[in-house]
Amino acid sequence: MDVIESNKYFLKFDRQGIIKYKAIAKHIKKLIDSNIVKDGEKLPSIRKLSEYLNVNSITIVNTYKKLESEGYAFQKMGSGTYAKRKDINKNFRREYSKVLKKISNNGYTEYMDFTGETPNGDFFPVKSFKNVIDEVLDRDGAKALICQEVLGYEGLRDSISHIFWNNKINSEDILIVSGAQQGIDIVSKAIVNTNDGVILEKPTYSGALSVFKWRRAAIFEVPVDKDGLNINKFEKILRKNTIKCFYTMSYFQNPTGMSYSYEKKIQILNLAQIYDFYIIEDDYLSELIYDDRIKYNSFKSLDTNDRVIYIKSFSKIFLPGIRIGYLVPPKRFKEGIQNCKINTDISTSSIMQRALDLYIRKGFWRNYIDKLNSVYSHRYDYTKYCLIKYLKDKAVFNDPGGGLHFYLRILDEISINTIQLFNEAKSRKILITPGTLFYKNPLDGQKYFRLSFSQVKDEDIKTGINIISDIMNQKR
């Protein structure tokens, strides 16, 4: 239906009293980008819009041709022209990716980096890890460099089974992978086919969202509360759709920082059995718990029906350059997931697996985690203090009680979205992560941003949050 009467197509004339087709196209693009004109909504007919704007029909024909050429409209034969919203994240993702590459290449050393997802490399115990690598080479010789095992180095799998799982998981059921991202990718290839139903938290980790989009899964989103996703909305989707799997980050979820309560874990495990779906648990940063009220119980440790595919990365908490993680699949998918791993890269770095195994066995891992908790619990408290002091009337956030970041929502009275905030902060040497990256529909994240304190010193935390506050003050 044409919507002339809404006045949303109103345009002011230029100084010569002439509206050119480029100006009309620019105005309509703005309406589409801001969701005033909905994706797929029928645009006014050429005759009606030309009459409304008091221009000739050729001007509107050229307007619609320009919109089509720029991907903002499409035609249905015999029906008319329809709005098409471009992926506002596409170009920004490219830009944001360049920023992260420059950070990793030390190209943005003068910036205050609030985008980090891993602990600061300054805390990494290089000397002790070097000694462990030397000991591995002395012990194993060339085998440490060339020996490949399909499931991963047996010693590391034994260490994981014994130290992290108290031998409750058999080492033969553990598959070593090159980090959590590869784990998610392998699992998706093994169990998710085109149009299979997949439920994600809303918002969710952008890397997982990309994987399931690439698999062309039918993606359903369920909003999260303080203690996990909304169970009522979750079960409503389960009742109406056939769901293959549910992807979750059980502790300090990226980006919200939310952790699941014990009660919600039990509810979801029961629903998995009732509705016959599997849980992909990405155990993210659960080592960094600062609030004693948060108790560690993974979905996997509570699973009595073999419904959980457990993924754990050592890269996030240890060092991104050491690309090692592991997954524990249900028996039903064990062979398929192992085959997908073999087809992907055959084996993860042998020497790094052996070094990590020895590092864990010698107790260095526990010492390192204790050090990180000491450093980051202080930094967490200080960041929270600065957020309350400088952003209390501009943004709100939940208190995650652990992890490495906060997730903030800009209050409605502040007229800025987070891509604009990103750009303005970047111009003042501050880097943040806009919430648009974490949603299936980027528009849902326009008022959110993630602020990580992992790579920022105390004095820069205060300065950076002050600058963000100043930017928001200008947008009241």
Side-chain angles (χ1 to χ4, degrees), residues 112 114 382-391 394 408 430 451 459-471:
M112 297 176 209
F114 289 94
Y382 186 67
T383 304
K384 185 170 77 169
Y385 164 79
C386 291
L387 290 174
I388 293 170
K389 183 175 181 179
Y390 299 112
L391 295 181
K394 306 172 190 72
L408 295 95
I430 307 291
L451 199 77
E459 59 268 28
D460 288 340
I461 289 172
K462 179 180 178 181
T463 302
I465 292 174
N466 241 323
I467 290 173
I468 292 170
S469 174
D470 184 51
I471 293 169

mmCIF file of all heavy atoms in Angstrom, residues 112 114 382-391 394 408 430 451 459-471:
data_model
loop_
_atom_site.group_PDB
_atom_site.id
_atom_site.type_symbol
_atom_site.label_atom_id
_atom_site.label_comp_id
_atom_site.label_asym_id
_atom_site.label_seq_id
_atom_site.Cartn_x
_atom_site.Cartn_y
_atom_site.Cartn_z
ATOM 1 N N MET A 112 43.704 4.069 22.949
ATOM 2 C CA MET A 112 43.244 3.331 24.121
ATOM 3 C C MET A 112 42.289 2.250 23.619
ATOM 4 O O MET A 112 41.216 2.560 23.097
ATOM 5 C CB MET A 112 42.543 4.272 25.102
ATOM 6 C CG MET A 112 43.447 5.346 25.666
ATOM 7 S SD MET A 112 42.536 6.493 26.732
ATOM 8 C CE MET A 112 43.502 7.983 26.489
ATOM 9 N N PHE A 114 39.718 -0.459 23.944
ATOM 10 C CA PHE A 114 38.667 -1.089 24.746
ATOM 11 C C PHE A 114 37.978 -2.210 23.971
ATOM 12 O O PHE A 114 36.845 -2.577 24.279
ATOM 13 C CB PHE A 114 37.629 -0.044 25.166
ATOM 14 C CG PHE A 114 38.110 0.939 26.203
ATOM 15 C CD1 PHE A 114 38.644 2.158 25.822
ATOM 16 C CD2 PHE A 114 38.027 0.641 27.553
ATOM 17 C CE1 PHE A 114 39.087 3.076 26.769
ATOM 18 C CE2 PHE A 114 38.468 1.538 28.514
ATOM 19 C CZ PHE A 114 38.995 2.761 28.122
ATOM 20 N N TYR A 382 37.565 -1.198 39.142
ATOM 21 C CA TYR A 382 37.879 0.193 38.802
ATOM 22 C C TYR A 382 37.097 0.649 37.573
ATOM 23 O O TYR A 382 36.592 1.775 37.525
ATOM 24 C CB TYR A 382 39.382 0.365 38.558
ATOM 25 C CG TYR A 382 39.772 1.806 38.334
ATOM 26 C CD1 TYR A 382 39.673 2.741 39.368
ATOM 27 C CD2 TYR A 382 40.212 2.255 37.088
ATOM 28 C CE1 TYR A 382 40.008 4.070 39.167
ATOM 29 C CE2 TYR A 382 40.561 3.577 36.881
ATOM 30 C CZ TYR A 382 40.450 4.478 37.926
ATOM 31 O OH TYR A 382 40.771 5.804 37.725
ATOM 32 N N THR A 383 36.962 -0.240 36.596
ATOM 33 C CA THR A 383 36.176 0.091 35.401
ATOM 34 C C THR A 383 34.723 0.343 35.784
ATOM 35 O O THR A 383 34.102 1.306 35.320
ATOM 36 C CB THR A 383 36.261 -1.040 34.359
ATOM 37 O OG1 THR A 383 37.628 -1.289 34.039
ATOM 38 C CG2 THR A 383 35.507 -0.665 33.086
ATOM 39 N N LYS A 384 34.172 -0.513 36.631
ATOM 40 C CA LYS A 384 32.785 -0.347 37.076
ATOM 41 C C LYS A 384 32.617 0.990 37.804
ATOM 42 O O LYS A 384 31.638 1.714 37.583
ATOM 43 C CB LYS A 384 32.376 -1.510 37.980
ATOM 44 C CG LYS A 384 30.904 -1.475 38.381
ATOM 45 C CD LYS A 384 30.464 -2.755 39.059
ATOM 46 C CE LYS A 384 30.928 -2.834 40.480
ATOM 47 N NZ LYS A 384 30.280 -3.948 41.226
ATOM 48 N N TYR A 385 33.570 1.330 38.645
ATOM 49 C CA TYR A 385 33.532 2.603 39.363
ATOM 50 C C TYR A 385 33.503 3.784 38.380
ATOM 51 O O TYR A 385 32.700 4.721 38.533
ATOM 52 C CB TYR A 385 34.754 2.711 40.280
ATOM 53 C CG TYR A 385 35.034 4.109 40.789
ATOM 54 C CD1 TYR A 385 34.305 4.646 41.853
ATOM 55 C CD2 TYR A 385 36.030 4.891 40.205
ATOM 56 C CE1 TYR A 385 34.557 5.931 42.313
ATOM 57 C CE2 TYR A 385 36.292 6.175 40.656
ATOM 58 C CZ TYR A 385 35.551 6.690 41.708
ATOM 59 O OH TYR A 385 35.801 7.960 42.153
ATOM 60 N N CYS A 386 34.358 3.735 37.349
ATOM 61 C CA CYS A 386 34.408 4.823 36.357
ATOM 62 C C CYS A 386 33.131 4.894 35.529
ATOM 63 O O CYS A 386 32.658 5.991 35.196
ATOM 64 C CB CYS A 386 35.629 4.647 35.444
ATOM 65 S SG CYS A 386 37.217 4.923 36.260
ATOM 66 N N LEU A 387 32.566 3.744 35.193
ATOM 67 C CA LEU A 387 31.321 3.730 34.417
ATOM 68 C C LEU A 387 30.186 4.374 35.211
ATOM 69 O O LEU A 387 29.399 5.156 34.672
ATOM 70 C CB LEU A 387 30.952 2.296 34.041
ATOM 71 C CG LEU A 387 31.838 1.598 33.001
ATOM 72 C CD1 LEU A 387 31.425 0.140 32.846
ATOM 73 C CD2 LEU A 387 31.784 2.311 31.661
ATOM 74 N N ILE A 388 30.109 4.025 36.479
ATOM 75 C CA ILE A 388 29.053 4.602 37.327
ATOM 76 C C ILE A 388 29.264 6.107 37.493
ATOM 77 O O ILE A 388 28.323 6.902 37.413
ATOM 78 C CB ILE A 388 29.026 3.901 38.704
ATOM 79 C CG1 ILE A 388 28.577 2.443 38.538
ATOM 80 C CG2 ILE A 388 28.104 4.637 39.668
ATOM 81 C CD1 ILE A 388 28.741 1.609 39.795
ATOM 82 N N LYS A 389 30.507 6.513 37.696
ATOM 83 C CA LYS A 389 30.806 7.917 37.960
ATOM 84 C C LYS A 389 30.589 8.798 36.738
ATOM 85 O O LYS A 389 30.002 9.883 36.838
ATOM 86 C CB LYS A 389 32.247 8.065 38.447
ATOM 87 C CG LYS A 389 32.618 9.503 38.811
ATOM 88 C CD LYS A 389 34.012 9.583 39.415
ATOM 89 C CE LYS A 389 34.344 11.030 39.799
ATOM 90 N NZ LYS A 389 35.699 11.129 40.415
ATOM 91 N N TYR A 390 31.022 8.333 35.553
ATOM 92 C CA TYR A 390 31.030 9.209 34.384
ATOM 93 C C TYR A 390 29.894 8.949 33.389
ATOM 94 O O TYR A 390 29.595 9.810 32.554
ATOM 95 C CB TYR A 390 32.380 9.100 33.664
ATOM 96 C CG TYR A 390 33.540 9.512 34.529
ATOM 97 C CD1 TYR A 390 34.477 8.573 34.963
ATOM 98 C CD2 TYR A 390 33.690 10.836 34.943
ATOM 99 C CE1 TYR A 390 35.539 8.940 35.778
ATOM 100 C CE2 TYR A 390 34.759 11.204 35.752
ATOM 101 C CZ TYR A 390 35.674 10.260 36.167
ATOM 102 O OH TYR A 390 36.715 10.640 36.982
ATOM 103 N N LEU A 391 29.274 7.757 33.439
ATOM 104 C CA LEU A 391 28.233 7.447 32.442
ATOM 105 C C LEU A 391 26.874 7.154 33.073
ATOM 106 O O LEU A 391 25.956 6.704 32.390
ATOM 107 C CB LEU A 391 28.656 6.250 31.583
ATOM 108 C CG LEU A 391 29.878 6.441 30.678
ATOM 109 C CD1 LEU A 391 30.147 5.164 29.889
ATOM 110 C CD2 LEU A 391 29.708 7.616 29.733
ATOM 111 N N LYS A 394 23.933 8.523 31.270
ATOM 112 C CA LYS A 394 24.033 8.412 29.808
ATOM 113 C C LYS A 394 23.885 6.977 29.305
ATOM 114 O O LYS A 394 23.497 6.742 28.165
ATOM 115 C CB LYS A 394 25.378 8.978 29.329
ATOM 116 C CG LYS A 394 25.654 10.399 29.803
ATOM 117 C CD LYS A 394 27.073 10.818 29.458
ATOM 118 C CE LYS A 394 27.424 12.127 30.152
ATOM 119 N NZ LYS A 394 27.619 11.925 31.612
ATOM 120 N N LEU A 408 27.100 -2.035 27.486
ATOM 121 C CA LEU A 408 26.331 -0.852 27.864
ATOM 122 C C LEU A 408 25.253 -0.517 26.849
ATOM 123 O O LEU A 408 25.436 -0.726 25.643
ATOM 124 C CB LEU A 408 27.266 0.358 28.004
ATOM 125 C CG LEU A 408 28.295 0.275 29.141
ATOM 126 C CD1 LEU A 408 29.622 -0.244 28.614
ATOM 127 C CD2 LEU A 408 28.496 1.637 29.783
ATOM 128 N N ILE A 430 40.197 6.550 20.895
ATOM 129 C CA ILE A 430 39.540 5.548 21.741
ATOM 130 C C ILE A 430 38.902 4.502 20.828
ATOM 131 O O ILE A 430 38.244 4.852 19.849
ATOM 132 C CB ILE A 430 38.424 6.175 22.618
ATOM 133 C CG1 ILE A 430 38.961 7.362 23.418
ATOM 134 C CG2 ILE A 430 37.812 5.113 23.533
ATOM 135 C CD1 ILE A 430 39.927 7.021 24.494
ATOM 136 N N LEU A 451 32.579 -2.670 26.143
ATOM 137 C CA LEU A 451 33.768 -1.970 26.622
ATOM 138 C C LEU A 451 34.624 -2.973 27.395
ATOM 139 O O LEU A 451 34.242 -3.415 28.484
ATOM 140 C CB LEU A 451 33.360 -0.801 27.525
ATOM 141 C CG LEU A 451 34.399 0.288 27.754
ATOM 142 C CD1 LEU A 451 34.491 1.191 26.527
ATOM 143 C CD2 LEU A 451 34.036 1.125 28.964
ATOM 144 N N GLU A 459 44.882 4.283 34.395
ATOM 145 C CA GLU A 459 44.779 5.710 34.058
ATOM 146 C C GLU A 459 44.083 5.929 32.720
ATOM 147 O O GLU A 459 43.362 6.915 32.525
ATOM 148 C CB GLU A 459 46.169 6.364 34.042
ATOM 149 C CG GLU A 459 47.164 5.753 33.065
ATOM 150 C CD GLU A 459 48.028 4.659 33.682
ATOM 151 O OE1 GLU A 459 47.564 3.999 34.641
ATOM 152 O OE2 GLU A 459 49.153 4.470 33.195
ATOM 153 N N ASP A 460 44.260 4.982 31.795
ATOM 154 C CA ASP A 460 43.595 5.103 30.488
ATOM 155 C C ASP A 460 42.117 4.730 30.582
ATOM 156 O O ASP A 460 41.300 5.224 29.791
ATOM 157 C CB ASP A 460 44.295 4.227 29.454
ATOM 158 C CG ASP A 460 45.656 4.780 29.048
ATOM 159 O OD1 ASP A 460 45.880 5.990 29.254
ATOM 160 O OD2 ASP A 460 46.483 4.007 28.529
ATOM 161 N N ILE A 461 41.759 3.844 31.511
ATOM 162 C CA ILE A 461 40.344 3.516 31.717
ATOM 163 C C ILE A 461 39.582 4.777 32.094
ATOM 164 O O ILE A 461 38.536 5.092 31.516
ATOM 165 C CB ILE A 461 40.189 2.434 32.812
ATOM 166 C CG1 ILE A 461 40.691 1.077 32.295
ATOM 167 C CG2 ILE A 461 38.722 2.318 33.248
ATOM 168 C CD1 ILE A 461 40.757 0.000 33.355
ATOM 169 N N LYS A 462 40.105 5.518 33.053
ATOM 170 C CA LYS A 462 39.456 6.757 33.488
ATOM 171 C C LYS A 462 39.399 7.771 32.359
ATOM 172 O O LYS A 462 38.340 8.352 32.075
ATOM 173 C CB LYS A 462 40.212 7.347 34.678
ATOM 174 C CG LYS A 462 39.624 8.660 35.186
ATOM 175 C CD LYS A 462 40.422 9.198 36.368
ATOM 176 C CE LYS A 462 39.860 10.533 36.837
ATOM 177 N NZ LYS A 462 40.644 11.087 37.980
ATOM 178 N N THR A 463 40.515 7.974 31.671
ATOM 179 C CA THR A 463 40.570 8.950 30.577
ATOM 180 C C THR A 463 39.619 8.570 29.449
ATOM 181 O O THR A 463 38.863 9.399 28.935
ATOM 182 C CB THR A 463 42.001 9.057 30.020
ATOM 183 O OG1 THR A 463 42.889 9.442 31.076
ATOM 184 C CG2 THR A 463 42.080 10.077 28.896
ATOM 185 N N GLY A 464 39.645 7.285 29.056
ATOM 186 C CA GLY A 464 38.819 6.827 27.951
ATOM 187 C C GLY A 464 37.335 6.955 28.226
ATOM 188 O O GLY A 464 36.566 7.420 27.371
ATOM 189 N N ILE A 465 36.905 6.554 29.419
ATOM 190 C CA ILE A 465 35.481 6.641 29.768
ATOM 191 C C ILE A 465 35.051 8.102 29.877
ATOM 192 O O ILE A 465 33.933 8.465 29.501
ATOM 193 C CB ILE A 465 35.201 5.856 31.060
ATOM 194 C CG1 ILE A 465 35.399 4.352 30.796
ATOM 195 C CG2 ILE A 465 33.775 6.104 31.560
ATOM 196 C CD1 ILE A 465 35.294 3.472 32.027
ATOM 197 N N ASN A 466 35.944 8.951 30.344
ATOM 198 C CA ASN A 466 35.675 10.391 30.389
ATOM 199 C C ASN A 466 35.435 10.953 28.993
ATOM 200 O O ASN A 466 34.534 11.776 28.784
ATOM 201 C CB ASN A 466 36.848 11.124 31.045
ATOM 202 C CG ASN A 466 36.434 11.853 32.310
ATOM 203 O OD1 ASN A 466 35.338 12.394 32.381
ATOM 204 N ND2 ASN A 466 37.309 11.863 33.287
ATOM 205 N N ILE A 467 36.242 10.525 28.036
ATOM 206 C CA ILE A 467 36.097 10.999 26.652
ATOM 207 C C ILE A 467 34.772 10.508 26.060
ATOM 208 O O ILE A 467 34.058 11.249 25.382
ATOM 209 C CB ILE A 467 37.295 10.539 25.792
ATOM 210 C CG1 ILE A 467 38.561 11.300 26.225
ATOM 211 C CG2 ILE A 467 37.016 10.764 24.301
ATOM 212 C CD1 ILE A 467 39.834 10.811 25.575
ATOM 213 N N ILE A 468 34.437 9.243 26.319
ATOM 214 C CA ILE A 468 33.152 8.706 25.845
ATOM 215 C C ILE A 468 31.997 9.507 26.441
ATOM 216 O O ILE A 468 31.022 9.838 25.759
ATOM 217 C CB ILE A 468 33.039 7.204 26.194
ATOM 218 C CG1 ILE A 468 34.050 6.395 25.384
ATOM 219 C CG2 ILE A 468 31.620 6.695 25.947
ATOM 220 C CD1 ILE A 468 34.198 4.948 25.822
ATOM 221 N N SER A 469 32.101 9.849 27.728
ATOM 222 C CA SER A 469 31.087 10.663 28.392
ATOM 223 C C SER A 469 30.963 12.025 27.720
ATOM 224 O O SER A 469 29.846 12.529 27.500
ATOM 225 C CB SER A 469 31.453 10.824 29.876
ATOM 226 O OG SER A 469 30.563 11.712 30.513
ATOM 227 N N ASP A 470 32.088 12.621 27.380
ATOM 228 C CA ASP A 470 32.089 13.938 26.740
ATOM 229 C C ASP A 470 31.408 13.875 25.369
ATOM 230 O O ASP A 470 30.629 14.774 25.000
ATOM 231 C CB ASP A 470 33.529 14.430 26.582
ATOM 232 C CG ASP A 470 33.609 15.838 26.015
ATOM 233 O OD1 ASP A 470 32.932 16.729 26.564
ATOM 234 O OD2 ASP A 470 34.348 16.036 25.038
ATOM 235 N N ILE A 471 31.685 12.810 24.613
ATOM 236 C CA ILE A 471 31.049 12.631 23.295
ATOM 237 C C ILE A 471 29.530 12.543 23.463
ATOM 238 O O ILE A 471 28.763 13.156 22.716
ATOM 239 C CB ILE A 471 31.594 11.380 22.580
ATOM 240 C CG1 ILE A 471 33.067 11.581 22.208
ATOM 241 C CG2 ILE A 471 30.765 11.062 21.326
ATOM 242 C CD1 ILE A 471 33.753 10.304 21.733
#
